[in-house]
Amino acid sequence: MKHISIESVTPNLNSSFLCAQLENSYFNRPLHVHPEYELILLEKGGGMIFVGDMTAPLQEGMFMLLGPNLPHFWLSSSEYYQPQNNLVSRCSYSQFMPDIFPKNWEQMPEFYIIHDLLLQSERGVLFNGKEKGHIAARFCKLREMDSFQRLTGLYTILHELAVLENNQCMSSIAYKASPKHAIDPIVQKVELFLNTNYNTDISLTQIANASNMNSTALCRHYKKQTGKTIFERLTELRISYASKLLLNKSISISNVAYDCGYTSRSHFNEQFKKLMGKTPREYARQLNNN
């Protein structure tokens, strides 16, 4: 895995958004982001899910809405990676932009509840409630409908999900960027670039070009806004992803280092211990013991 790009979303034919199903022996998408909202139902599989700073066991029937640029991925259990295991991992999902709604939809009373739900999805929303199963069943049929029914069907499903009882935010309040960071366009550009390229050999010149700023000015601005350097943030992203991959005993530490953007295992070990207080091997052993 040499490069993680922003996930490219192609709408269904004659439609303004995507409805699809993914099925494989294991979930194989790495940690990623995309500018679309994503409504996703985990139908089959086992392992762990990661959304923002949340880590939780993957459970069949999980139904969630993820906001734009919210990092996420599913890590299948070790047995799903074994050859000829006959196990299935499957999810149905829909990805859409706000432009699927009418112009000035935020001011329309009919969409107030959906608008509030989309705001909550910045941290991810996990749906609960006794009606969730019925809504999920109809959601799986959206991709079979014609374009108009699919659109109105999505509107209805989002509205019904918004009024379910006991819905919960997935990432912590601390994960959400402060208002100062959230509205800063330069920080947003840097974060998006780092989140989609952290496992490559990134240079400051590349980051500056993506942010349309001079390298020196960019470093100064980012440090002032966030309190850390760009490469400190890059290391955090890489080690955070590594700590998740180490949950899977089928992936070697060398492959974890490579998948997180490190060409030197010794440098990976050094950075991991600096942030986590343990070497990758010690961390993996502790995970297995637990």
Side-chain angles (χ1 to χ4, degrees), residues 241-254:
Y241 185 37
S243 67
K244 297 169 175 59
L245 292 180
L246 288 170
L247 284 164
N248 193 312
K249 294 181 287 185
S250 298
I251 306 176
S252 70
I253 292 177
S254 294

Side-chain angles (χ1 to χ4, degrees), residues 68-87:
N69 301 321
L70 180 62
H72 59 280
F73 85 115
W74 330 128
L75 179 65
S76 296
S77 302
S78 298
E79 61 267 22
Y80 284 80
Y81 294 85
Q82 302 304 316
Q84 300 177 339
N85 57 37
N86 296 320
L87 295 172

Side-chain angles (χ1 to χ4, degrees), residues 181-244:
H181 298 171
I183 64 175
D184 187 89
I186 302 302
V187 172
Q188 286 183 339
K189 289 178 181 178
V190 173
E191 289 292 309
L192 183 58
F193 185 86
L194 294 182
N195 270 286
T196 54
N197 296 278
Y198 63 86
N199 67 334
T200 68
D201 187 16
I202 298 175
S203 70
L204 181 57
T205 300
Q206 290 174 308
I207 303 172
N209 289 341
S211 305
N212 298 317
M213 281 189 74
N214 169 274
S215 298
T216 303
L218 175 63
C219 290
R220 189 183 303 117
H221 180 87
Y222 189 88
K223 180 70 178 289
K224 181 180 179 180
Q225 293 293 319
T226 67
K228 64 186 70 174
T229 70
I230 292 173
F231 285 95
E232 285 173 342
R233 175 59 175 156
L234 175 60
T235 299
E236 287 178 354
L237 289 172
R238 286 174 167 173
I239 300 305
S240 175
Y241 185 37
S243 67
K244 297 169 175 59

Side-chain angles (χ1 to χ4, degrees), residues 12-31:
N12 297 97
L13 184 64
N14 298 322
S15 183
S16 56
F17 65 101
L18 173 68
C19 281
Q21 186 180 74
L22 175 68
E23 183 172 313
N24 197 12
S25 56
Y26 57 88
F27 291 117
N28 57 5
R29 289 180 179 173
L31 185 67

